[in-house]
């Protein structure tokens, strides 16, 4: 994904396309009129808000919003990143899948965000990109860019939280709010692999075949099963054409024998 500058957004990146199907960022509550115009010029017609309802501030923009609260409770302000990601994956699969389904169902671009645009956003974007065909290394590399981008915006809040907790928790609190270390997402993706991989994980929580195909189409990927089905269909068509051609030149006895051959069954896709 490429970094983009949009007035009123921070930690903003978009899929590498003139009209990206997915844009990620921190909270867009401060999105300006010019920023909204720039988003719409990119093709963004929906904002996917992963925050809890109590976190949402006043919206000055007019872009339609779909809210899918990912935690389902008050967001953690302390704790280890890896543990928080694992809890989301193991306990909030339905919400994660609902968020990915919003991306799959969208006709045009979607801006995905939470508060900082790195943790909840990072998981949803990672799952969607993996199903769409992205390489795991590229997904992790993109996630790791958020740390630098959020620090100037979130630093005062992070230090205030750390000051309110015992000193032995300080480093993990600052890491939670200000960093996006590759090993944190790698741990999460290890959990996803343990659960069968991104596609199987999301399917188990309700993502449909049509939505899987839609995600792959957005990224311009062709699924191996779809390709195999296309090849099989062409092969089947050629076989039928050959039989038809042969029946036209064969003697009557051969034609009668050919007519008794059972038709080739359809190839499962």
């Amino acid at each position: 994904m490429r970094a983009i500058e949009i007035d009123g957004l921070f930690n903003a990146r978009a899929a590498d396309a003139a009209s990206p199907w997915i844009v990620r960022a921190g909270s867009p509550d401060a999105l300006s009129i010019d920023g909204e115009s720039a988003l719409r010029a990119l093709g963004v017609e929906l904002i996917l808000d992963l925050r809890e309802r109590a976190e949402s501030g006043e919206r000055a923009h007019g872009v339609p919003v779909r809210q899918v609260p990912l935690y389902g409770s008050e967001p953690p302000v302390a704790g280890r990143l890896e543990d928080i990601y694992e809890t989301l994956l193991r306990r909030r699969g339905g919400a994660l899948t609902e968020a990915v389904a919003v991306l799959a169902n969208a006709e045009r671009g979607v801006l995905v965000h939470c508060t900082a645009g790195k943790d909840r956003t990072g998981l949803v974007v990672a799952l969607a990109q993996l199903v769409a065909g992205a390489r795991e290394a590229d997904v992790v590399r993109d996630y790791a860019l958020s740390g630098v981008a959020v620090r100037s915006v979130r630093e005062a809040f992070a230090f205030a939280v750390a000051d309110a907790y015992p000193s032995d928790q300080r480093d993990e609190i600052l890491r939670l709010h200000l960093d996006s270390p590759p090993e944190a997402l790698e741990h999460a993706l290890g959990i996803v692999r343990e659960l069968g991989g991104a596609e199987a994980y999301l399917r188990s929580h309700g993502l449909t075949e049509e939505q899987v195909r839609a995600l792959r189409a957005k990224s311009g990927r062709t699924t191996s099963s779809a390709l195999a089905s296309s090849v099989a269909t062409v092969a089947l068509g050629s076989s039928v054409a050959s039989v038809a051609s042969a029946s036209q030149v064969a003697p009557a006895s051969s034609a009668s024998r050919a007519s008794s051959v059972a038709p080739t069954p359809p190839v499962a896709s």
Side-chain angles (χ1 to χ4, degrees):
M1 298 182 82
R2 57 188 170 89
I4 56 174
E5 294 291 335
I6 301 285
D7 191 41
L9 290 184
F10 68 98
N11 190 24
R13 297 188 295 284
D16 293 326
S19 297
W21 64 280
I22 186 169
V23 177
R24 61 179 298 168
S27 168
D29 290 345
L31 187 65
S32 67
I33 294 175
D34 288 344
E36 178 178 342
S37 297
L39 267 185
R40 290 187 183 277
L42 279 175
V44 172
E45 292 192 346
L46 180 68
I47 290 178
L48 174 57
D49 187 348
L50 304 175
R51 299 174 298 179
E52 304 305 305
R53 301 197 185 280
E55 294 179 88
S56 301
E58 291 290 331
R59 297 186 183 114
H61 62 79
V63 184
V65 175
R66 171 72 183 275
Q67 193 152 20
V68 180
L70 223 59
Y71 285 120
S73 60
E74 187 176 350
V77 294
R80 184 170 172 264
L81 266 176
E82 286 83 352
D83 296 338
I84 292 169
Y85 291 177
E86 183 166 351
T87 297
L88 280 170
L89 286 166
R90 294 194 185 278
R91 298 184 183 177
R92 298 291 294 171
L96 285 163
T97 302
E98 182 181 352
V100 172
V102 170
L103 294 170
N105 295 337
E107 294 184 359
R108 298 195 69 191
V110 180
L111 167 64
V112 188
H113 77 90
C114 48
T115 299
K118 73 179 185 72
D119 301 319
R120 288 168 283 188
T121 299
L123 283 180
V124 168
V125 169
L127 289 169
Q129 286 184 313
L130 288 172
V131 173
R135 296 184 304 173
E136 191 170 297
D138 292 335
V139 171
V140 173
R141 189 178 301 113
D142 174 61
Y143 162 85
L145 297 174
S146 289
V148 173
V150 305
R151 185 168 288 271
S152 62
V153 178
R154 301 284 294 168
E155 200 166 47
F157 173 81
F159 278 99
V161 172
D163 288 344
Y165 278 78
S167 59
D168 62 350
Q169 297 184 45
R170 185 177 183 84
D171 288 347
E172 287 293 354
I173 289 172
L174 295 179
R175 183 173 180 260
L176 168 63
H177 293 287
L178 301 177
D179 293 337
S180 55
E183 62 270 18
L185 188 62
E186 287 167 352
H187 174 81
L189 297 184
I191 301 299
V192 172
R193 286 194 298 273
E194 175 192 321
L195 298 173
E199 182 179 333
Y201 173 78
L202 293 168
R203 282 181 183 272
S204 73
H205 291 286
L207 197 72
T208 67
E209 173 66 22
E210 291 74 19
Q211 288 165 335
V212 169
R213 290 180 183 272
L215 288 170
R216 288 175 173 157
K218 289 174 189 292
S219 68
R221 306 272 179 171
T222 301
T223 67
S224 58
S225 59
L227 180 59
S229 178
S230 299
V231 171
T233 300
V234 171
L236 179 58
S238 299
S239 177
V240 171
S242 297
V243 170
S245 176
S247 68
Q248 291 174 358
V249 298
S253 58
S254 298
S256 63
R257 284 196 300 271
S259 66
S260 66
V261 177
T264 304
V267 178
S269 59

